[in-house]
Amino acid sequence: MKIAMIGAGKTGRGFIGRLLAEDKHEIYFIDKDESLVKALNEEKSFKISFFGGVRENFTVDNFTAHTWGDANLSDIEVILVSVGGMNLSDVGSELKKLINDGKTRHIIVGENASKPAKKLAEAIGLPNITVSESTVFCTTIEDKNGGKLDIASENYPYLQCDAEPLGDYALNIATIRPVKGFSNFLTRKLYTYNAASCVIAYLGFAKGYDDYGAAANDPEILALLDRNYAATNKVLCKVYGYDEQDQAEFAALSKAKFTDRTIADTVSRNAREPQRKLQAAERIMGPLCLLDQHGEDTEPLLLTAAAALLYEHESDKSWQEIKDSKTPTEILSEICGLPEGSKLSLAILEKYEAVKKYMIGEKN
């Protein structure tokens, strides 16, 4: 079966593309980056290597690549999307032009963001289109030891997606698994995996780390990470009814992944776009507010939020523009949904000053 993969970046081609290729599907890549599309069509294949050499390299070669200008989806009914949460509205507008033919199509969004399927569906605005969310657990980076298209990846075996929008439709993709009750599953993942990743990334930034694995194994960061896992596990079981042992194992898998030094990764990749990760229902503010409501330990996430406000990287120009135009208090109010003078806003600002002084002291 031919399946469209919109977004040929690290996740699109290195994880989801690999899953589609492993299940013997033809991939129809679409990407706005003309140079990337040209390279894919010229190279005609790329290699996936796996962290720690846990399995042999895998070659993806049954694909074509296209820009929006020459794409044709008339004979494709399943579409995967992985373009970054900030780009979903633009992708929806482009997709609408290509699938406005009355045919039924099923779209799965591979974004670790708040309500990505809703955002994409609203941008498309067409009947006969179902849009399902999925959650990406797999880390992928450019393979510096390989060719220009090659990817180094974690060996994660499948993509979980929301079963409800699909209804009775059979995907027939063995490596994509529809999950019932997905909204709770996604919240669980966001508050467990993604929140923990933010603890490591932003506190790692504050402590001057560039290597993500090194930050994850820093004793002080590990101690805060364990505190956050303990508090989050307790409140998720209380609010959503998860089995305590199952949630503890879920969190332990997360920690094992993040502290695995064979997974090459960077702080900047995990910390990019703080304006998205600091949003009200996202991976920092969501669990922070929940922990606060139930009287659990908020210290690790307060520090994480403060470090995120201080985060800077030369590649994150849009975030720098926000920092240049707004005060931390305004960011907390307008992006994080915390009113000026509220308990959590004041607590984060207090940590902000403490982390700032720490960073200045480290530099000096």
Side-chain angles (χ1 to χ4, degrees):
M1 180 168 67
K2 182 161 67 172
I3 300 171
M5 178 69 247
I6 299 176
K10 292 183 283 294
T11 298
R13 75 175 187 276
F15 174 46
I16 302 176
R18 186 254 298 176
L19 294 182
L20 297 176
E22 285 177 332
D23 202 39
K24 311 299 183 185
H25 296 284
E26 177 186 353
I27 308 169
Y28 191 92
F29 285 116
I30 299 177
D31 200 285
K32 67 179 181 179
D33 185 338
E34 294 182 5
S35 62
L36 176 57
V37 168
K38 181 180 179 182
L40 285 166
N41 286 323
E42 288 178 347
E43 297 291 328
K44 300 188 185 330
S45 69
F46 56 89
K47 179 185 69 178
I48 311 295
S49 61
F50 297 91
F51 301 132
V54 295
R55 58 176 282 195
E56 293 183 359
N57 294 344
F58 181 82
T59 298
V60 179
D61 56 12
N62 186 19
F63 64 81
T64 57
H66 311 265
T67 61
W68 287 114
D70 69 339
N72 185 339
L73 298 177
S74 60
D75 61 341
I76 295 177
E77 65 179 32
V78 177
I79 302 169
L80 280 294
V81 177
S82 180
V83 295
M86 308 292 283
N87 300 311
L88 287 173
S89 295
D90 290 340
V91 166
S93 297
E94 293 293 341
L95 257 179
K96 184 175 182 177
K97 301 172 188 176
L98 296 177
I99 59 177
N100 192 13
D101 55 11
K103 294 181 180 179
T104 297
R105 289 184 175 83
H106 303 280
I107 302 173
I108 300 172
V109 187
E111 300 294 344
N112 292 332
S114 178
K115 303 186 186 305
K118 183 175 183 291
K119 181 180 292 186
L120 184 62
E122 289 176 349
I124 296 172
L126 293 173
N128 303 318
I129 305 298
T130 70
V131 185
S132 171
E133 293 184 27
S134 68
T135 183
V136 177
F137 283 87
C138 186
T139 297
T140 49
I141 62 172
E142 294 176 358
D143 187 351
K144 295 181 180 179
N145 297 316
K148 61 183 178 181
L149 296 173
D150 293 344
I151 297 291
S153 176
E154 184 182 0
N155 184 30
Y156 200 82
Y158 44 79
L159 181 74
Q160 298 104 326
C161 71
D162 188 356
E164 185 175 350
L166 296 170
D168 295 330
Y169 180 76
L171 273 178
N172 293 320
I173 305 173
T175 47
I176 297 182
R177 296 187 175 181
V179 174
K180 295 180 179 179
F182 186 77
S183 60
N184 282 350
F185 175 81
L186 190 63
T187 299
R188 184 186 189 191
K189 190 259 183 183
L190 199 67
Y191 287 13
T192 306
Y193 268 72
N194 297 95
S197 178
C198 285
V199 171
I200 296 166
Y202 292 118
L203 296 183
F205 157 75
K207 298 196 73 174
Y209 286 104
D210 181 56
D211 181 82
Y212 187 78
N217 284 278
D218 178 276
E220 291 181 340
I221 294 176
L222 266 178
L224 288 165
L225 188 65
D226 285 337
R227 283 176 62 179
N228 189 62
Y229 278 133
T232 301
N233 289 352
K234 185 175 179 180
V235 79
L236 286 178
C237 291
K238 179 179 180 180
V239 174
Y240 294 101
Y242 297 126
D243 177 80
E244 291 183 7
Q245 182 176 347
D246 183 59
Q247 173 60 25
E249 290 175 354
F250 188 68
L253 286 171
S254 157
K255 182 180 178 181
K257 169 182 175 172
F258 295 142
T259 56
D260 184 349
R261 297 299 295 269
T262 69
I263 300 178
D265 207 352
T266 63
V267 164
S268 59
R269 190 191 75 82
N270 288 276
R272 68 183 185 271
E273 297 180 351
Q275 66 270 38
R276 174 168 62 88
K277 293 165 183 173
L278 282 167
Q279 289 177 5
E282 265 284 353
R283 61 205 70 191
I284 298 175
M285 290 301 145
L288 175 58
C289 290
L290 193 65
L291 291 173
D292 181 62
Q293 290 168 12
H294 292 272
E296 297 295 337
D297 184 5
T298 59
E299 180 79 2
L301 289 182
L302 290 173
L303 286 167
T304 299
L309 289 175
L310 286 159
Y311 179 73
E312 56 184 36
H313 191 271
E314 59 184 10
S315 65
D316 239 321
K317 293 182 173 57
S318 59
W319 170 241
Q320 190 60 49
E321 289 174 1
I322 292 172
K323 288 180 63 179
D324 290 342
S325 62
K326 299 180 186 298
T327 66
T329 299
E330 289 171 336
I331 293 173
L332 288 173
S333 175
E334 296 173 22
I335 293 178
C336 306
L338 299 178
E340 183 176 352
S342 64
K343 174 186 173 184
L344 286 179
S345 178
L346 293 174
I348 292 170
L349 291 173
E350 181 181 347
K351 299 299 181 186
Y352 176 90
E353 294 300 329
V355 174
K356 186 177 180 179
K357 287 180 182 178
Y358 170 83
M359 291 174 61
I360 292 171
E362 284 289 288
K363 290 177 182 179
N364 293 336

